[in-house]
Amino acid sequence: MPLPTVLRLLLTVLAIATGVGVAAFPATAGTLRASLSDDLTTIDPFVFPGLVSSGVLRQVYEGFTAIDAAGNAVPALAIRWETPDGGRTWRFTLRPDVRFHSGRPFTAADVLWTWERHLTRKPQPGYSAFYLRGIEGATALQQGTATSLSGVAIPDPHTLVVRLTEPDALFPLYPFLFVDRGMEAEFGPAWHERASGGTGPFRLMSWRRGDSVRLEAHADYWDGAPVVDAVSLAVLPDTNTLLARYDAGDLDIAPLPDNAVRTVIRQPRYDGQVAAFARAQVRYLALNQDLYPPFRDRRVREAFGLALDRVATVNGLHAGRAVLANGFVTPGLGGYRPDAVPLPPFDPGRAKALLAEAGHAGGQGLPPLLIAGGPNVREEATYFAAQLTAVLGVPVGVRIQERAAFVSAINEGREALFINGWTADFPDPMDQLATQWHSASPTNRSRWHNPDFDRLMERARSLADPTVRNALYRDAEALLREQAVAVPLPAPQFVALMRPGVTGVVIRPDGTTDFHSARLP
């Protein structure tokens, strides 16, 4: 290993192990300064990261494919994938010139090691276990009756053959983040707190909780070293502090919280410095029928949807920088139907009538509710709570939590009414439909279960023809609408302030800010 590589690895180990932050690494002309709207929830690639953490971890770790600026799947660590039997068997040819941040070569053995760790992780399986459940031997490995994943063969270091129990046309697109298998042997089970174990364009140098993250360019990156030497990310959830830092010249890029876009973009001093990017996100007001029994009555669920003026929020709360879909698939993905029958408009009279039919005229007998959410939806939650109270007579308040606490609460099923969003990890409606509503999904946070919906998802997953697959997605979405499982909300664009002269920075539809081609003035 060349001396510079050894030195960089030692610095990475020391920085992450000691929690050293940005202040310990003096800024240079090659350090791009950006911000995060919230702190990371994790730096462990085996744990569900959430949007903010995912945007950072995807700079560090990579999968078979990635999403480009237009939202298309493009080759990443795999240069070719093929199936001879309609998606039952997949053969992946891996990129031969890839090195981890440690200097070790990336091989098929690292893919297998990553998958086996996801399936056997305790006390909970890893995030990607949901996508791996169809591999032959996955169940036996999880149950402890096998010690390895039998459905994976490695003919040579850069070839991987995967056998599935059922065809899965989307398997190459899943958001796998492959890990250097040497990390655990070298640094122990908590290796991610001490070293950077990915192949991405940047290595993770430090994370100071609640304060900052520092990424350093991976000089041996297979697609060429980044132009900048490093990226310094300040955790700035408060909008006033964020703008003060940007105005003082301390930030080159400042992604704006959704609830700040309206006021910021209207200020003349930011003319020519506002950049907007499409977001592949579905957003909705979730109704947990397990925690709030009145939601088991479809009429109550429908009444909640009719009591919200969703259209008014597009031009009001979001200043026109949002898209209101008619269902649960993001515009731009294959299953989206711009010609779909619009959702019923804001209709207070009909909402009140439905509630009365359900035996709750004027909100009678309905227990109080709180709309839960992270800091970025405070204004939306407050607006919707006031509308529900005024129209339906239901006492509705707001509970805003720090992002990590909120994610933990909805993952554990502790919130009855909450604003949730899902930004696509891969460019197919399966990612937004199955992840949110399939019974087996670990991110089905409203706990809605329907066997007909599950069957539609499993059938679609097995079909290689996108036209036929999209037809099933539309059937599944029609079922969600008919059941009124949640209230679709506007999905805002990604909006950022960008200092004049900074170029090459793109926020991808999956929420990852791509710094690989970033250039400073």
Side-chain angles (χ1 to χ4, degrees):
M1 188 184 303
L3 181 57
T5 303
V6 174
L7 181 58
R8 287 174 183 268
L9 179 59
L10 289 174
L11 286 173
T12 302
V13 172
L14 288 172
I16 299 179
T18 60
V20 173
V22 173
F25 298 88
T28 68
T31 298
L32 181 75
R33 301 160 304 167
S35 62
L36 297 172
S37 62
D38 206 344
D39 197 12
L40 307 187
T41 54
T42 184
I43 55 172
D44 185 346
F46 292 101
V47 176
F48 172 70
L51 185 61
V52 176
S53 294
S54 176
V56 173
L57 291 180
R58 286 174 183 270
Q59 312 281 338
V60 180
Y61 300 92
E62 298 176 293
F64 288 135
T65 57
I67 298 178
D68 67 11
N72 302 308
V74 294
L77 295 185
I79 55 175
R80 186 168 60 255
W81 48 93
E82 50 199 348
T83 175
D85 50 13
R88 180 72 177 264
T89 305
W90 286 97
R91 184 182 183 90
F92 294 92
T93 302
L94 304 182
R95 199 174 290 277
D97 53 348
V98 177
R99 289 194 173 272
F100 285 106
H101 300 154
S102 65
R104 298 185 185 97
F106 165 70
T107 68
D110 296 293
V111 174
L112 178 58
W113 184 88
T114 300
W115 286 349
E116 290 180 341
R117 287 302 178 276
H118 274 288
L119 290 166
T120 59
R121 184 179 178 274
K122 303 296 182 183
Q124 297 293 331
Y127 168 55
S128 289
F130 178 68
Y131 300 111
L132 300 171
R133 68 194 188 283
I135 298 179
E136 289 183 8
T139 300
L141 182 62
Q142 284 193 297
Q143 293 176 346
T145 58
T147 58
S148 61
L149 196 53
S150 61
V152 178
I154 301 178
D156 62 66
H158 295 104
T159 304
L160 196 80
V161 179
V162 183
R163 300 186 307 276
L164 306 175
T165 57
E166 299 289 342
D168 187 346
L170 304 175
F171 193 81
L173 304 182
Y174 292 149
F176 302 124
L177 300 179
F178 297 126
V179 174
D180 184 345
R181 71 187 189 279
M183 291 289 98
E184 188 168 281
E186 188 168 351
F187 299 111
W191 61 267
H192 58 277
E193 298 177 0
R194 304 181 59 195
S196 187
T199 61
F202 293 91
R203 68 182 74 229
L204 177 63
M205 290 298 293
S206 66
W207 171 33
R208 295 187 66 181
R209 294 178 185 272
D211 181 76
S212 57
V213 177
R214 184 175 175 87
L215 305 174
E216 185 177 283
H218 178 26
D220 295 326
Y221 185 52
W222 58 266
D223 197 25
V227 178
V228 296
D229 299 326
V231 178
S232 172
L233 297 162
V235 178
L236 299 171
D238 179 72
T239 302
N240 292 329
T241 305
L242 172 70
L243 295 178
R245 292 279 297 272
Y246 182 82
D247 291 342
D250 294 337
L251 296 172
D252 301 303
I253 302 165
L256 296 174
D258 297 335
N259 56 5
V261 170
R262 182 179 78 258
T263 55
V264 171
I265 65 176
R266 292 173 177 169
Q267 298 184 37
R269 74 177 187 270
Y270 298 125
D271 287 350
Q273 298 178 61
V274 177
F277 305 88
R279 183 188 313 211
Q281 184 186 70
V282 60
R283 206 181 252 208
Y284 55 89
L285 182 66
L287 316 172
N288 188 324
Q289 300 176 37
D290 291 343
L291 286 186
Y292 194 75
F295 284 154
R296 295 170 189 165
D297 190 321
R298 187 198 179 283
R299 294 169 296 185
V300 175
R301 301 195 301 273
E302 186 178 356
F304 269 64
L306 293 171
L308 300 183
D309 190 350
R310 300 170 302 112
V311 174
T313 66
V314 173
N315 293 320
L317 295 178
H318 300 293
R321 301 297 180 101
V323 176
L324 180 59
N326 288 313
F328 300 92
V329 172
T330 294
L333 297 185
Y336 176 67
R337 293 182 62 194
D339 60 341
V341 177
L343 288 168
F346 176 50
D347 191 340
R350 176 62 178 156
K352 293 175 181 178
L354 283 169
L355 210 59
E357 287 178 19
H360 300 292
Q364 182 180 3
L366 290 178
L369 278 165
L370 292 174
I371 298 181
N376 64 314
V377 300
R378 184 186 302 274
E379 289 189 357
E380 270 184 297
T382 302
Y383 175 72
F384 291 143
Q387 277 202 314
L388 291 171
T389 300
V391 174
L392 302 180
V394 186
V396 180
V398 172
R399 176 168 35 228
I400 299 299
Q401 306 169 69
E402 183 272 327
R403 181 66 187 172
F406 170 66
V407 171
S408 176
I410 60 176
N411 281 345
E412 295 170 11
R414 292 188 275 113
E415 298 291 353
L417 184 65
F418 55 93
I419 296 178
N420 193 36
W422 186 264
T423 302
D425 288 317
F426 58 92
D428 189 271
M430 177 70 72
D431 186 49
Q432 294 181 330
L433 294 173
T435 55
Q436 302 303 282
W437 311 108
H438 192 289
S439 300
S441 172
T443 49
N444 179 347
R445 291 156 169 168
S446 70
R447 303 301 195 268
W448 179 76
H449 297 168
N450 184 290
D452 292 332
F453 179 88
D454 291 351
R455 281 191 287 270
L456 285 169
M457 290 294 96
E458 295 303 328
R459 175 62 179 151
R461 194 163 61 93
S462 70
L463 296 173
D465 185 339
T467 302
V468 181
R469 196 165 66 242
N470 288 339
L472 292 180
Y473 292 147
R474 290 192 285 271
D475 290 344
E477 195 173 16
L479 179 59
L480 294 175
R481 285 184 47 159
E482 190 278 326
Q483 291 290 313
V485 299
V487 183
L489 301 176
Q493 295 176 315
F494 292 117
V495 180
L497 293 176
M498 200 170 302
R499 194 162 303 288
V502 175
T503 60
V505 179
V506 173
I507 303 180
R508 298 174 186 159
D510 67 353
T512 302
T513 303
D514 186 354
F515 298 116
H516 180 241
S517 299
R519 290 181 180 273
L520 294 167

